Amino acid sequence: MIKQAAIIKPHADIAIRLTVGPPSHWRCGRTIRGMNLERVLALAPAVLLASWRFGLGAAEVVGMACAAAVACEALMSRLRRQPMQLDNWNAFYTGLLFALLLPSGAPWWLAFVGGFVSVALGQTLFGGQGSNPFCAPALGWAVCKASWPQFMDVDLALAALPMNEPLATLKYFGVSGLEQFDLLELFLGGQIGAVGASQVAALLLGGLWLLVRGVVKPFIPLAFLLGVALTSGVLWQIDPPRFAAPQFHLVTGSVMLAAFFLATDPGSSPCGRLPMILFGLVAGTLTVLIRTYGVFLDGAPLAVLLANLLTPLLDRIRPRPFGARRKIHA
């Protein structure tokens, strides 16, 4: 009987300490620092467009969340008497992702608390980067959403702007209220929403860059978008006057941010092609179901957290070891 080895997450510390075999080895040249830097650069267009569209408020939210995340990483390393690894950009990237889920009018203390919680509760509590069972920025978003929902409300935070949030319009006024929105304008970022999640085209560009560079595998993002499109398409075909078309769901909320950045978190997502596809499909389907029948306007971050619960089960789907024989039942 051949035993299957335990799956080691790619960012876990033990994965770095394992000795595979005698030299010589092929090295791909990738490092955690390099991959995090590429992810930060992929998010840079969304941050710049959000700062241009929403003003300095968006830049302040991003700066405060990133500073809180880095400070938390330094404090936790000091308390655990471990060497600081701030130069790997992990804490900065976690704070940046959380900031992109906040409205630009969010108070400074909310960005600070959320960035701190994302690192402390989302990563450090479970052993650090690569050991987190949940997507850390999405967990920070959930804590802030449950604790201070009024400050997380986009329409309240951006009440001075003349536009309405598309998902709020769909929730409270139905499909007939969506005539005021142009899909191309929504895709190019002409909507109010979270700091970076509303910059759909910029996020798609950054996600494609990560796919081309090989930092992110295409299975989870494509399956996530397919799950959103299929679920919303089925509902739309059943009752078009009641349910929005698939293209509306794809260009609103934090779908693109979740597909390419939240759901692909290496510590909380499964390994293997089939588990990744199933994970993405589940998260995309839950996004539309939460939007349609739940109390949250944008279900993407919550859908990623719920899909994270399935990761240990999906990781059990593994290919048969080479040379193993199929059992023959009498």
Side-chain angles (χ1 to χ4, degrees), residues 8 55 74 76-77 87 93 96 146 152 169 176 203 296-297 304 310:
I8 304 299
M76 293 301 171
S77 299
D87 58 339
Y93 174 67
L96 178 59
M152 296 287 289
T169 303
S176 60
L203 291 173
F296 293 102
L297 298 178
V304 172
L310 299 176

Side-chain angles (χ1 to χ4, degrees), residues 17 21 31 36 38 40 50 67 142 148 161 173 188 195 248 251 263 267 269 273-275 281 310 319:
R17 298 196 301 267
T31 61
N36 285 333
E38 293 212 43
V40 170
W148 304 283
L161 297 179
F173 298 99
L188 296 177
V195 169
F248 173 82
V251 298
S269 59
R273 181 178 303 178
L274 181 58
L281 287 174
L310 299 176

Side-chain angles (χ1 to χ4, degrees), residues 217-220 223 270-280 314 317 319:
K217 294 184 179 180
F219 308 116
I220 291 180
C271 303
R273 181 178 303 178
L274 181 58
M276 287 182 178
I277 294 175
L278 295 176
F279 178 85
L314 295 175
I317 304 176

Side-chain angles (χ1 to χ4, degrees), residues 126-147:
F126 299 100
Q129 183 186 14
S131 303
N132 50 302
F134 298 99
C135 177
L139 185 61
W141 171 89
V143 170
C144 294
K145 189 72 173 180
S147 303

Side-chain angles (χ1 to χ4, degrees), residues 58-74:
E60 292 174 357
V61 168
V62 171
M64 185 58 66
C66 293
V70 173
C72 178
E73 178 77 13

